[in-house]
């Protein structure tokens, strides 16, 4: 009876082994997919930060030229702290908002229409020379340039939306990490390619990837999570998704400002 029982146990084990291997294989496959998702999300986050710094600096340069201000540009390095990066962006937008509010209040008190009428009447009173009238018109267009920039930034509360979105991002548990904790850029990678193209390029070394996974899993872990890698990937993908609209708002603001600057330049040159 003992021999038969033992034989029966081994037989059952042999039949059950393929099922167990299949189950383990499935679990392993899912785990690898989650790791890949986390690594990919970390890489996209890395390039999103770089893109945000670039477009913020472009917007700042346009703003400084248009409003005659001296707001400092951003400087982002691989050892930059994520919290410091977002706080730097917030500071820039708050400085812009402060200038816009001050200029807007001034315009409300002294309307552009009154300035145009007074300037043109003054020229008519002094001379009817066509050349002088043309020169006066050019000066009027130049003076109208500042209100257009204010109008662009006030439309849809652009600066306010950016501040709100950044404040939301700063609540996520990644603020104490450095940019290099997400991805170490290969020096061979081109800097002018798009984010989607860069994310498809070969990744970091295996050792770096393991370090990245561990840091992100530790920071992004949630309580009672059965799969830390999966929950970390879910949360980081959520963060990356939240960064998308910020980039879009900045890009649209820059495009609108550039179009208006170009339009007024052409009008003032005529």
């Amino acid at each position: 009876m003992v021999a038969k029982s033992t034989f029966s146990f081994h037989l059952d084990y042999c039949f059950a082994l393929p099922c167990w291997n299949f189950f383990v294989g499935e679990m392993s496959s899912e785990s690898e997919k989650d790791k890949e998702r986390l690594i990919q999300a970390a890489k996209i986050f890395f390039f999103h930060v770089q893109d945000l710094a670039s477009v913020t600096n472009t917007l700042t340069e346009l703003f400084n030229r248009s409003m005659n201000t001296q707001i400092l540009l951003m400087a982002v390095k691989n050892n930059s702290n994520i919290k410091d990066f977002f706080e730097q962006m917030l500071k820039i937008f708050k400085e812009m908002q402060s200038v816009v509010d001050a200029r807007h209040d001034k315009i409300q008190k002294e309307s552009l229409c009154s300035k145009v009428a007074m300037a043109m009447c003054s020229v008519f009173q002094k001379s009817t020379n066509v050349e002088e009238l043309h020169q006066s018109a050019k000066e009027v267009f130049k003076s109208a340039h500042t209100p257009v920039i204010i109008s662009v930034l006030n439309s849809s509360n652009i600066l306010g939306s950016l501040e709100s979105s950044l404040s939301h991002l700063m609540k996520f548990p990644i603020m104490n990490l450095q940019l290099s904790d997400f991805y170490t850029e290969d020096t061979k990678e081109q800097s002018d390619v798009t984010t989607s193209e860069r994310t498809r390029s070969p990744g970091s070394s295996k050792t770096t990837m393991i370090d990245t996974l561990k840091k992100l899993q530790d920071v992004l872990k949630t309580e009672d999570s059965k799969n830390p890698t999966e929950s970390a990937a879910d949360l980081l993908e959520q963060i990356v998704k939240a960064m998308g609209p910020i980039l879009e708002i900045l890009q649209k603001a820059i495009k609108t400002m550039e179009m208006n600057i170009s339009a007024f330049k052409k009008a003032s040159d005529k």
Side-chain angles (χ1 to χ4, degrees):
M1 287 292 293
V2 175
K4 185 176 180 181
S5 176
T6 304
F7 174 78
S8 176
F9 169 78
H10 284 296
L11 190 62
D12 291 342
Y13 174 79
C14 289
F15 279 115
L17 188 58
C19 296
W20 171 251
N21 287 338
F22 176 79
F23 175 74
V24 172
E26 283 292 303
M27 290 290 289
S28 177
S29 175
E30 288 299 318
S31 178
E32 289 303 314
K33 286 180 181 178
D34 292 331
K35 286 179 182 178
E36 179 60 29
R37 283 175 55 217
L38 184 55
I39 288 293
Q40 209 46 14
K43 193 172 181 181
I44 294 173
F45 179 88
F46 176 91
F47 287 119
H48 269 3
V49 167
Q50 289 191 333
D51 291 341
L52 280 172
S54 177
V55 293
T56 299
N57 283 341
T58 300
L59 179 64
T60 305
E61 288 172 343
L62 283 170
F63 189 89
N64 284 339
R65 287 201 302 267
S66 303
M67 308 295 282
N68 196 28
T69 51
Q70 294 182 333
I71 299 174
L72 296 178
L73 302 181
M74 297 189 69
V76 182
K77 299 178 180 179
N78 278 354
N79 62 351
S80 295
N81 186 277
I82 300 302
K83 183 179 180 180
D84 291 343
F85 170 77
F86 285 127
E87 285 182 342
Q88 203 175 350
M89 283 186 71
L90 269 175
K91 183 182 177 183
I92 288 173
F93 297 144
K94 285 180 179 179
E95 286 183 38
M96 287 184 182
Q97 188 66 64
S98 178
V99 173
V100 168
D101 289 343
R103 296 289 177 91
H104 182 70
D105 290 342
K106 187 178 180 180
I107 291 169
Q108 291 295 94
K109 294 176 182 178
E110 183 183 358
S111 70
L112 180 61
C113 292
S114 297
K115 290 172 68 177
V116 172
M118 289 175 63
M120 295 304 290
C121 285
S122 175
V123 175
F124 273 118
Q125 288 172 357
K126 291 178 181 179
S127 173
T128 55
N129 185 283
V130 175
E131 183 60 32
E132 289 186 25
L133 290 173
H134 179 68
Q135 184 61 34
S136 176
K138 288 176 68 175
E139 293 303 318
V140 168
F141 275 118
K142 286 179 181 178
S143 67
H145 179 63
T146 296
V148 169
I149 299 302
I150 292 174
S151 176
V152 169
L153 291 176
N154 269 340
S155 63
S156 303
N157 190 28
I158 289 175
L159 293 174
S161 297
L162 289 169
E163 285 186 38
S164 176
S165 298
L166 285 172
S167 298
H168 172 69
L169 275 175
M170 292 182 71
K171 294 177 181 178
F172 286 106
I174 57 170
M175 293 300 108
N176 292 325
L177 293 178
Q178 293 183 343
L179 190 56
S180 57
D181 291 330
F182 292 85
Y183 177 70
T184 303
E185 190 172 19
D186 189 342
T187 54
K188 294 180 181 179
E189 290 191 40
Q190 298 178 358
S191 59
D192 58 344
V193 296
T194 63
T195 297
S196 59
E197 288 172 336
R198 284 179 288 184
T199 54
R200 289 196 297 266
S201 61
S204 307
S205 67
K206 187 174 181 180
T207 304
T208 305
M209 288 176 66
I210 292 172
D211 291 341
T212 299
L213 282 169
K214 188 177 185 311
K215 286 180 181 178
L216 293 175
Q217 285 172 346
D218 289 343
V219 171
L220 296 169
K221 65 183 178 182
T222 55
E223 293 181 5
D224 302 325
S225 174
K226 295 180 180 179
N227 188 338
T229 308
E230 181 184 30
S231 10
D234 289 341
L235 187 51
L236 190 53
E237 285 174 348
Q238 184 182 343
I239 295 171
V240 167
K241 188 177 180 180
M243 295 170 77
I246 300 176
L247 269 171
E248 289 178 10
I249 291 171
L250 284 167
Q251 289 165 343
K252 286 180 181 178
I254 290 169
K255 186 176 180 180
T256 306
M257 288 173 69
E258 287 175 337
M259 287 174 63
N260 280 282
I261 290 170
S262 177
F264 275 99
K265 186 178 179 182
K266 288 179 182 178
S268 62
D269 289 341
K270 290 182 180 179

